[in-house]
Amino acid sequence: MEGAARVIARRGVRGLRVEELASEAGVSTALIYYHFKDRAGILRATLEFINDRAERYTTERDPAGPPLDARGELEQTLLLEFQDAPGVRENSTAWGELRASAVFDPDLREELAGATRVWIQEVTELLGRVEPTAGPAPLTGAAERLTALVEGLSARWLSGSLPLAHARELMVSAIAAELDRLARA
């Protein structure tokens, strides 16, 4: 799955060739087809892998660090999507490629929409811990805006049109604005 994420990040979904994937993973093409049946199976499994890997790196905490309050947990979870680490860059790039391809692929669109709903639900829960009196609709709306901003800022950062530090600053200010809006709701 790491090989698939690398190939998709490098070549895009349309550029994914099973032969290149097999070479990247160090296995035969027959083994790829045996495990995933077809290209759609590879894409579904890669999307799941990317989501699992993102969950790991956005929930990792320094055991020696101080415990985070609810706002700190929210900020850290969202800001960990902006790390200049190869796995994070690869994950974000592959996610963007899968998202772009979903425009033309209804099956991939469903898978991506489901993964996005899970991410929005997780951010909604974090927001609810910061602003427990906010209602479900405002919390979900704030989570949708913040997750869309993560995707947009990631794309701009990865393409070189936005410095990493500035993307992080914009994310922090957006979190503050959403929390302020929730507190006033």
Side-chain angles (χ1 to χ4, degrees), residues 53-70:
R53 186 162 65 172
E55 184 174 344
R56 282 192 304 275
Y57 67 69
T58 60
T59 58
E60 287 178 355
R61 301 295 180 255
D62 180 3
L68 296 173
D69 63 2

Side-chain angles (χ1 to χ4, degrees), residues 65-144:
L68 296 173
D69 63 2
R71 183 180 181 140
E73 187 75 27
L74 170 68
E75 286 182 356
Q76 188 163 356
T77 297
L78 294 173
L79 291 174
L80 284 171
E81 285 289 342
F82 301 97
Q83 300 179 64
D84 198 11
V88 175
R89 292 178 72 90
E90 182 180 279
N91 238 42
S92 295
T93 303
W95 175 266
E97 291 293 333
L98 287 162
R99 186 170 29 95
S101 291
V103 170
F104 305 103
D105 183 341
D107 293 333
L108 186 56
R109 191 177 313 146
E110 276 185 45
E111 298 283 334
L112 195 76
T116 301
R117 280 191 299 274
V118 169
W119 178 241
I120 289 169
Q121 181 57 40
E122 290 171 2
V123 174
T124 298
E125 290 170 9
L126 289 169
L127 286 163
R129 288 181 38 217
V130 179
E131 288 296 335
T133 60
L139 288 169
T140 301
E144 288 175 345

Side-chain angles (χ1 to χ4, degrees), residues 21 25 41 43 52 55 59 61 86 112-113 115 123 126-128 130 138 145 151 161 164 172 182:
L21 170 57
L43 295 177
D52 291 345
E55 184 174 344
T59 58
R61 301 295 180 255
L112 195 76
V123 174
L126 289 169
L127 286 163
V130 179
R145 287 186 292 276
E151 288 182 347
S161 62
L164 177 58
V172 168
L182 289 170

